[in-house]
Amino acid sequence: MTRVRFAPSPTGHIHIGNARTAFFNFLFAKKNSGSFVLRFDDTDLERSREEYAQGIETDLRWMGIDPDVIVRQSQRFALYDAAAQKLKEMGRLYPCYETADELDRRRKRQIARGVPPVYDRAALKLTDEERAALEAQGRKAHWRFKLEERTMHWNDLVRGESHIEAGSLSDPVLIREDGTYLYTLPSVVDDIDLGITHVIRGEDHVTNTAVQIQLFETLAGKAPIFGHHNLLTTASGEGLSKRSGALSIASLRQAGIEPLAIAALATLTGSSDAVHPVASLQELGGLFDLSHVSRGAARFDENELATLSARTLHAMAFGDVVSRLAQEGVSGAKAEAFWPAVRGNLETFSDVREWWRVVEQVIDPVIEDAEYCSAALALLPDEPYDAQTWSRWTAAIKERTGRKGKMLFHPLRLALTGKDSGPELAQLLPLIGRVKAAARLSGQSS
Ligand code: GLU
């Protein structure tokens, strides 16, 4: 059974780059009839905040990602303590007492001598007495994982055959001297405990993978499958930051960007499929394939989002927007014909309010030429109206007045809608109806 996780730390708002990781995991789970775990990496109790965790959950659900399971690392310390204990007993987790300054000096000496600045494992050589003496001085241990010096291979779902020489790495610190955990161990312990089969994450984590595979193998016998995708960058090549709040999902929602547009952009940028509007996450899932994700940069132009969002709206079926229309006050007998009439003119969904006002509520008509409008009013057909009413009416006006083109149509648009441009009047007129049309043509607010 496939099980994946999206593991943000709740220290800020997630942005479209984080959404890329979330969608990759979610679509991968859906494709394989698996499940999706939302794991909050909140071991940093100072920087993590509940409001960010809630915000992330809201953002994910708004984008159509409903987690099957939600866990918080802050509630799972007992598991990490047990794993640390096990590693200590196996002789794979050892106490070190160097200060940051000492380590820094040692690194500089190594570099000067032309040797790689890898931790020299001096702490492994300490005798019990030396350790006791250091502790008596008030030093507290931080704990390092003793790596086996071998080449770690994995077949990356995105990058293909990959390897890292563990012997070229410093033994990683898993526990700080104040007893808090760095990200490495809790992540592995949770992935084991939750039965994660595939770890799909950004390529900024590739360097963690050799260490984590060794931890998996030590604690559970085997590691999950890994896939590291390229990170989204802005058109100018800049990375996205959680802290700046730029391109956060919350701000895009506020700007009226469609969630499906975010999904398409986050998923298809930097893949072999061009970014284009999709009608559902299911459709996007059919296009998505980790092996189609390029290894090069995944640049996107943030100005494309608004256009993609509008194009996404223009293709939406009425059935997919019924409840959203109701939330904007659009419901009743006219709603179903209203949607296809106006959707092609929407920039954001909330623009429906203005067009609903035009067909259902009161507007101030703009009368450019009162004489012309009253001539048109005299020819206004009786109801019932249909899609041909407009062309029959305007043909009659043309014949009577000799006007054509913009001179014929534009004053009618201004009178009927109060606006310079908008949806096809052939579709709007039946929705506006004769009573309102007649009042507006004679200059009355209606
Ligand atoms: N909390 C980590 C991050 O946001 C998770 C990394 C991982 O997926 O293993 O980068």
Side-chain angles (χ1 to χ4, degrees):
M1 166 90 170
T2 300
R3 199 167 224 219
V4 297
R5 86 296 195 282
F6 173 56
S9 43
T11 54
H13 297 291
I14 51 168
H15 53 60
I16 189 156
N18 304 124
R20 179 174 178 81
T21 310
F23 276 115
F24 278 12
N25 276 285
F26 181 73
L27 297 174
F28 186 86
K30 286 281 162 246
K31 242 187 146 118
N32 295 288
S33 315
S35 58
F36 174 95
V37 176
L38 170 58
R39 184 185 88 199
F40 287 115
D41 284 4
D42 57 353
T43 53
D44 183 340
L45 300 175
E46 234 148 71
R47 287 179 52 224
S48 301
R49 291 220 223 112
E50 182 55 29
E51 69 196 71
Y52 287 133
Q54 274 171 20
I56 290 169
E57 193 185 332
T58 303
D59 290 346
L60 290 177
R61 290 192 193 279
W62 174 70
M63 293 189 293
I65 298 179
D66 286 313
D68 297 295
V69 181
I70 302 180
V71 297
R72 287 177 157 69
Q73 290 198 321
S74 55
Q75 292 168 2
R76 300 166 62 83
F77 283 115
L79 282 171
Y80 314 144
D81 294 346
Q85 187 55 36
K86 184 169 166 188
L87 291 172
K88 286 178 191 171
E89 282 161 13
M90 295 169 89
R92 297 293 299 276
L93 191 61
Y94 62 96
C96 303
Y97 296 88
E98 294 90 345
T99 63
D101 266 357
E102 282 164 358
L103 289 172
D104 196 42
R105 264 180 275 135
R106 215 178 279 178
R107 259 194 305 271
K108 282 183 181 141
R109 278 201 303 272
Q110 286 171 313
I111 292 168
R113 291 208 325 268
V115 292
V118 173
Y119 178 62
D120 61 6
R121 293 184 164 167
L124 267 181
K125 295 172 201 116
L126 293 173
T127 62
D128 288 349
E129 291 75 39
E130 286 167 327
R131 266 198 294 271
L134 285 164
E135 291 195 6
Q137 285 171 24
R139 293 222 191 178
K140 287 219 160 58
H142 56 272
W143 296 77
R144 286 186 191 262
F145 177 54
K146 190 175 166 210
L147 288 171
E148 287 169 357
E149 292 171 24
R150 55 190 171 101
T151 313
M152 307 308 298
H153 291 274
W154 75 95
N155 191 1
D156 197 286
L157 290 174
V158 181
R159 300 158 64 93
E161 204 54 59
S162 306
H163 65 272
I164 292 180
E165 203 59 64
S168 70
L169 304 174
S170 292
D171 287 342
V173 177
L174 300 188
I175 306 174
R176 299 186 187 88
E177 59 176 37
D178 64 1
T180 58
Y181 290 98
L182 281 100
Y183 140 83
T184 316
L185 179 66
S187 182
V188 168
V189 169
D190 284 335
D191 288 343
I192 294 169
D193 182 64
L194 296 164
I196 299 302
T197 56
H198 298 76
V199 171
I200 300 166
R201 57 188 180 184
E203 64 188 9
D204 50 333
H205 286 287
V206 168
T207 49
N208 292 327
T209 304
V211 168
Q212 291 190 335
I213 292 176
Q214 281 206 16
L215 275 171
F216 276 111
E217 290 178 353
T218 309
L219 292 168
K222 73 190 241 300
I225 294 165
F226 288 87
H228 293 92
H229 64 77
N230 52 6
L231 303 180
L232 277 191
T233 66
T234 61
S236 56
E238 259 169 275
L240 304 172
S241 143
K242 224 188 231 176
R243 248 159 277 176
S244 73
L247 292 163
S248 72
I249 302 305
S251 69
L252 296 176
R253 178 170 59 234
Q254 237 144 46
I257 300 293
E258 286 298 304
L260 273 175
I262 298 176
L265 189 115
T267 307
L268 297 176
T269 299
S271 81
S272 48
D273 294 290
V275 177
H276 62 275
V278 294
S280 63
L281 288 185
Q282 211 173 345
E283 181 189 336
L284 189 60
L287 299 168
F288 163 76
D289 193 323
L290 277 177
S291 66
H292 293 173
V293 177
S294 89
R295 293 189 55 173
R299 284 184 189 218
F300 80 103
D301 181 354
E302 62 175 291
N303 301 314
E304 250 179 56
L305 253 182
T307 320
L308 184 65
S309 177
R311 288 172 62 207
T312 302
L313 276 174
H314 300 172
M316 276 184 185
F318 175 67
D320 292 331
V321 293
V322 182
S323 62
R324 291 176 71 188
L325 284 172
Q327 279 168 24
E328 301 289 348
V330 178
S331 58
K334 285 185 186 173
E336 190 163 357
F338 170 79
W339 175 249
V342 304
R343 66 181 172 186
N345 282 80
L346 306 178
E347 276 171 32
T348 65
F349 193 81
S350 61
D351 295 345
V352 294
R353 283 184 225 149
E354 193 50 30
W355 293 113
W356 190 242
R357 200 160 76 85
V358 168
V359 305
E360 207 42 17
Q361 293 155 2
V362 179
I363 60 142
D364 296 324
V366 175
I367 303 296
E368 224 178 33
D369 178 342
E371 212 175 305
Y372 176 65
C373 286
S374 64
L377 171 57
L379 294 165
L380 186 63
D382 288 330
E383 284 183 330
Y385 284 1
D386 59 27
Q388 274 68 54
T389 307
W390 170 255
S391 55
R392 273 193 286 117
W393 179 39
T394 49
I397 302 172
K398 184 178 177 181
E399 204 183 295
R400 175 74 48 90
T401 63
R403 290 196 187 204
K404 51 187 182 194
K406 198 173 175 204
M407 292 286 286
L408 172 70
F409 298 115
H410 199 61
L412 301 176
R413 176 176 291 284
L414 286 173
L416 293 175
T417 69
K419 294 177 198 304
D420 231 12
S421 63
E424 294 282 336
L425 283 162
Q427 294 194 60
L428 283 188
L429 181 63
L431 291 162
I432 292 170
R434 194 179 197 288
V435 174
K436 275 191 191 303
R440 290 174 186 175
L441 285 165
S442 43
Q444 293 159 25
S445 297
S446 168

